[in-house]
Amino acid sequence: DEVNGIFQVDILNGGFRSQKNPANFFSFGMYVEGYALNYWPKDLAILAYEGNADRLGQRFDLNDLNTSGQFINVLHFGINRQIKNNLTLGARIKLYSGIIDIKSTNNSGYFETTIGQNNLLRNTLVSDMRLRTSGLDALLDANDSGASVASLFTKRGFFGGDPGLGFDLGVTYNLNKQTVITGSLIDIGLLYHSSDVTNYTLKGSTSIEGVEIILPDALNDPNADYWENLVDDIEELVPFEENSQNYVSFRPIKFYSSIRYNFGKQGTPIAADCDCDNKADSGDRSLYYLNSVGGQLYAINRPRGPQFALTAFYQRRFAKVLALKATYTVDKFTASNVGLGMSLQAGPVNFYIMGDNLFSYGNIADSNYASFQLGLNIISWERN
């Protein structure tokens, strides 16, 4: 009943610790993100493919048309501050540059066919529908004319598109030396769409019984175009309009939280090289332990309500070189999502690879959900 795709590519990601106050860590970067979401329009599909001949009196819900998509470039700058030995807070500001936006949500109305009074059938249409787009027409024109689509994306992505502002907030709290809880809200923000905007609306209501010819009155005007008159009446009562009005869209807010228990303390702490501060009892305490178990909760705001995913995990460290993680996730798409992740540390180079729903890789076409991620980080080993 739902098709949903998300991608994110980090173009630049960096950070540095304050020399004056080592409790402050600053980060910056840029990434490109996009998503497409479409709920299956069941009623409209039945009406289009099967018709309504055998469905008299059934209302076809226009709210079934519910789709959205967005392509943006994001510049961000953040600060992570250790408030106490057991508490760390983080915040990040984001500057959005919208490239493409498509949205048709909160539609309402219905189409219904009943027995007519002056004709065989009576069709009733009540509609309040809207499709909003930004950047789509320029993309289609560039594709049709053979112009460079990549240059269009680059131009709109670097503040030549729709501006926006957002924030991220996060917290990490150590309940004790072995138990850690975290929480974060991502993409609390909006975009103002004012460039290359095209909106379409269909709003109104009407009930018609087809072409009605009333005799003998019809004989007074034998050249009348009854079909065209019917079309004109419908367009007047339920007008299909196009405009270029600016609009605001909100980012889909994401929520993350987790609890982790670390155990199996190592003889020699492996976090000494990368403590978060110059205090002996600070830093990521999980690096002192070989094993970690816990749970994670993920939620994202969607037009038909939030979507949730609940994950249990086990993580095993091998000295300070290798870490492996196994996960089991339950969400609306699948109840058999098993994932694996690996993080390899070779001096200042960190490489990671992760995959979800591994049992589905044998038949991706039959899978409800799959994800794959990999990345490379260069880490400074200076104490501060």
Side-chain angles (χ1 to χ4, degrees):
D1 60 345
E2 177 183 337
V3 178
N4 182 11
I6 303 172
F7 81 91
Q8 180 175 311
V9 178
D10 269 321
I11 299 175
L12 173 66
N13 210 336
F16 58 93
R17 186 168 301 283
S18 171
Q19 296 294 330
K20 295 182 179 180
N21 188 351
N24 294 333
F25 184 84
F26 300 96
S27 65
F28 61 91
M30 178 175 66
Y31 64 87
V32 176
E33 181 179 281
Y35 79 89
L37 171 66
N38 182 56
Y39 294 96
W40 173 243
K42 180 180 178 181
D43 278 16
L44 299 181
I46 292 175
L47 182 62
Y49 287 98
E50 298 181 9
N52 60 348
D54 299 326
R55 300 176 183 272
L56 298 183
Q58 176 179 337
R59 288 190 173 186
F60 295 89
D61 192 356
L62 302 184
N63 183 48
D64 276 5
L65 181 60
N66 196 320
T67 185
S68 62
Q70 195 171 69
F71 197 121
I72 65 172
N73 188 43
V74 183
L75 293 175
H76 59 84
F77 183 84
I79 179 173
N80 182 299
R81 179 176 176 81
Q82 185 175 353
I83 307 300
K84 300 178 181 178
N85 287 343
N86 61 347
L87 177 63
T88 301
L89 300 179
R92 182 163 62 174
I93 186 171
K94 294 181 172 180
L95 299 178
Y96 302 127
S97 185
I99 301 173
I100 297 175
D101 186 78
I102 303 172
K103 183 167 294 185
S104 182
T105 59
N106 299 321
N107 295 312
S108 63
Y110 63 89
F111 178 81
E112 181 184 25
T113 300
T114 56
I115 301 300
Q117 296 178 349
N118 300 323
N119 214 330
L120 294 178
L121 299 176
R122 180 182 181 88
N123 294 305
T124 299
L125 175 64
V126 178
S127 173
D128 186 358
M129 305 180 72
R130 178 174 59 183
L131 170 64
R132 302 186 301 186
T133 72
S134 175
L136 181 61
D137 288 346
L139 176 64
L140 296 176
D141 292 342
N143 185 64
D144 292 340
S145 63
S148 174
V149 175
S151 62
L152 174 65
F153 272 52
T154 302
K155 178 182 177 181
R156 290 185 62 85
F158 285 91
F159 305 104
D162 299 316
L165 182 66
F167 301 92
D168 296 345
L169 300 173
V171 58
T172 299
Y173 183 74
N174 294 76
L175 293 175
N176 51 54
K177 290 187 176 182
Q178 292 178 257
T179 308
V180 184
I181 60 174
T182 69
S184 60
L185 285 171
I186 308 298
D187 279 330
I188 309 170
L190 52 83
L191 286 91
Y192 180 67
H193 301 278
S194 58
S195 59
D196 190 33
V197 173
T198 305
N199 304 314
Y200 306 91
T201 62
L202 182 65
K203 186 174 183 179
S205 62
T206 184
S207 292
I208 59 172
E209 298 189 17
V211 176
E212 298 180 25
I213 302 177
I214 309 300
L215 295 175
D217 297 342
L219 300 177
N220 297 329
D221 188 7
N223 296 321
D225 190 337
Y226 295 101
W227 175 255
E228 186 62 35
N229 292 339
L230 175 64
V231 173
D232 292 340
D233 290 341
I234 295 174
E235 290 182 344
E236 180 178 353
L237 294 170
V238 190
F240 178 77
E241 297 181 347
E242 179 179 335
N243 64 69
S244 57
Q245 296 178 356
N246 302 338
Y247 65 94
V248 174
S249 71
F250 293 90
R251 295 283 293 149
I253 300 176
K254 309 174 190 70
F255 170 74
Y256 297 87
S257 67
S258 73
I259 182 169
R260 184 179 75 232
Y261 176 73
N262 308 305
F263 61 97
K265 190 171 183 179
Q266 301 198 106
T268 302
I270 63 175
D273 289 336
C274 52
D275 269 350
C276 294
D277 201 348
N278 53 8
K279 302 174 184 176
D281 193 34
S282 65
D284 187 351
R285 293 186 178 91
S286 67
L287 299 177
Y288 287 81
Y289 297 90
L290 291 173
N291 306 285
S292 299
V293 295
Q296 301 167 184
L297 175 65
Y298 164 76
I300 184 171
N301 188 35
R302 289 304 189 198
R304 290 187 177 176
Q307 294 177 2
F308 297 92
L310 184 63
T311 299
F313 69 86
Y314 168 72
Q315 182 171 293
R316 171 72 178 185
R317 295 184 180 278
F318 298 88
K320 60 179 180 180
V321 178
L322 181 66
L324 300 178
K325 187 175 184 179
T327 64
Y328 174 73
T329 301
V330 176
D331 58 19
K332 70 171 291 183
F333 297 104
T334 176
S336 59
N337 184 348
V338 175
L340 292 175
M342 181 192 74
S343 175
L344 180 64
Q345 191 77 39
V349 179
N350 170 258
F351 172 78
Y352 68 88
I353 182 171
M354 296 179 286
D356 277 356
N357 209 13
L358 299 181
F359 294 150
S360 71
Y361 281 24
N363 188 355
I364 295 295
D366 193 43
S367 170
N368 288 327
Y369 171 84
S371 75
F372 178 77
Q373 302 176 53
L374 59 86
L376 185 70
N377 298 309
I378 306 297
I379 302 174
S380 170
W381 288 96
E382 293 184 33
R383 173 169 295 275
N384 291 328

